[in-house]
Amino acid sequence: EIVLTQSPGTLSLSPGERATLSCRASQSVSSSYLAWYQQKPGQAPRLLIYGASSRATGIPDRFSGSGSGTDFTLTISRLEPEDFAVYYCQQYGSSQRLTFGGGTKVEIK
Amino acid sequence: QLQLQESGPGLVKPSETLSLTCTVSGGSISSSSYYWGWIRQPPGKGLEWIGSIYYSGSTYYNPSLKSRVTISVDTSKNQFSLKLSSVTAADTAVYYCARPDRDGFQIDYWGQGTLVTVSS
């Protein structure tokens, strides 16, 4: 079973700052199967990035994903007030199995 | 636009069976090569994949829940369902139905989620 570890657990930043979120896998993950989501309180997660670096429909270009193998990164270039939320990475293994990281909370400093 | 909507009891007693249904609208559950899945999120915690089903009935379950989970599909009603037996307080969570993409398996469609509380 592949385990995804996200860091930091909480990121305290101000609007306009750059956010860098990490997702580390316990084994190598195909970049094709690595996604990032944003979740706000009381809402379902929203797909941001798929295939490690492709933005989902309607996602602003301040969101970008990168990485390969076991290390993946979500970068928010300039935080907007609506970006303060919890972010999850997710990977697909075999047999339809999906695994999520524990999440990173981006909070207002 | 595809939409998914969960329905079912919001309160289940310990040791009983949790039952939820996901109704799909805006598209046919059997018209293309997609799996349909259930994901849960305990209050204040992260996301956990429960299992997935193909319209033909093929299923895949999270090994940690496999002994208690049954997912089924009713193509005539455009629905799929979740049953989780022998529930405890640890099964209290928001339950989401979802549709992973058929190529990259990222989840591009989510239901709004429904909170199920396990309590006597």
Side-chain angles (χ1 to χ4, degrees):
Chain A
E1 175 190 355
I2 295 178
V3 176
L4 299 179
T5 301
Q6 292 188 240
S7 61
T10 302
L11 199 51
S12 298
L13 295 168
S14 300
E17 290 194 293
R18 182 184 186 90
T20 303
L21 287 67
S22 172
C23 177
R24 180 161 292 176
S26 58
Q27 304 171 41
S28 185
V29 171
S30 169
S31 296
S32 298
Y33 300 144
L34 195 288
W36 290 91
Y37 301 86
Q38 176 193 69
Q39 187 179 34
K40 296 180 180 179
Q43 297 183 15
R46 176 175 71 144
L47 177 66
L48 296 175
I49 301 288
Y50 65 95
S53 60
S54 297
R55 275 187 298 277
T57 302
I59 301 303
D61 61 7
R62 64 180 180 273
F63 291 92
S64 63
S66 62
S68 63
T70 59
D71 291 303
F72 296 88
T73 300
L74 174 70
T75 301
I76 311 171
S77 58
R78 294 174 309 280
L79 283 164
E80 297 288 340
E82 62 268 28
D83 299 336
F84 292 92
V86 180
Y87 293 83
Y88 294 96
C89 57
Q90 172 244 315
Q91 70 91 27
Y92 164 74
S94 60
S95 301
Q96 298 301 314
R97 184 168 183 174
L98 307 178
T99 306
F100 293 90
T104 291
K105 181 179 182 179
V106 179
E107 65 175 21
I108 299 176
K109 186 174 182 180
Chain B
Q1 175 74 350
L2 193 72
Q3 293 187 324
L4 290 74
Q5 178 68 57
E6 305 89 351
S7 59
L11 181 63
V12 181
K13 290 183 168 57
S15 80
E16 296 190 343
T17 296
L18 178 160
S19 296
L20 295 173
T21 296
C22 181
T23 301
V24 178
S25 59
S28 171
I29 204 168
S30 58
S31 66
S32 49
S33 303
Y34 288 101
Y35 278 80
W36 304 86
W38 289 96
I39 291 159
R40 70 179 183 177
Q41 184 173 36
K45 296 188 178 180
L47 300 159
E48 179 182 37
W49 173 72
I50 299 171
S52 299
I53 189 165
Y54 195 54
Y55 76 92
S56 63
S58 299
T59 52
Y60 296 89
Y61 299 136
N62 187 324
S64 68
L65 298 169
K66 186 174 184 177
S67 64
R68 300 194 291 130
V69 173
T70 302
I71 298 176
S72 59
V73 64
D74 186 338
T75 55
S76 67
K77 294 182 179 179
N78 226 31
Q79 296 175 334
F80 61 104
S81 298
L82 168 70
K83 292 188 184 299
L84 181 66
S85 64
S86 304
V87 297
T88 69
D91 295 309
T92 294
V94 175
Y95 286 76
Y96 295 99
C97 57
R99 193 201 77 177
D101 179 82
R102 59 187 169 187
D103 296 317
F105 301 97
Q106 67 274 7
I107 300 170
D108 43 10
Y109 290 98
W110 296 77
Q112 66 183 28
T114 187
L115 174 63
V116 179
T117 301
V118 178
S119 174
S120 56

